[in-house]
Amino acid sequence: ICEQYKEAGIIKDAIITQTNQDVTEQGNQLDNMFTQGVDALILLPVSAESVASAVEKAKAQDILVMFAGDAV
């Protein structure tokens, strides 16, 4: 789907990661995305606690955050 959105000019790029339910790895990947200057995050959190600080950081930087999967 990302390729279709790129071709249509809706998005410039997408970063897709997998953590295998590793809380530390999810935090590291999110920090990496902030460093890269993302505009939005679509998260499937390992747990609510594991992404809480990243969500607060995103809100402070006006980065859109959406959740996929189970309600957090």
Side-chain angles (χ1 to χ4, degrees):
I1 285 181
C2 292
E3 288 303 318
Q4 292 171 336
Y5 288 152
K6 284 183 191 179
E7 290 172 8
I10 296 170
I11 64 172
K12 180 181 172 187
D13 203 0
I15 302 166
I16 301 170
T17 62
Q18 172 60 273
T19 65
N20 295 317
Q21 300 299 312
D22 185 318
V23 171
T24 302
E25 182 62 21
Q26 188 165 52
N28 291 339
Q29 290 176 356
L30 287 165
D31 287 341
N32 228 0
M33 289 180 195
F34 288 122
T35 300
Q36 294 179 52
V38 297
D39 298 315
L41 296 169
I42 302 173
L43 301 173
L44 180 55
V46 174
S47 71
E49 296 81 19
S50 70
V51 296
S53 65
V55 170
E56 290 303 316
K57 185 175 184 176
K59 285 172 50 179
Q61 295 180 22
D62 292 325
I63 296 171
L64 174 66
V65 178
M66 298 176 359
F67 293 98
D70 295 332
V72 176

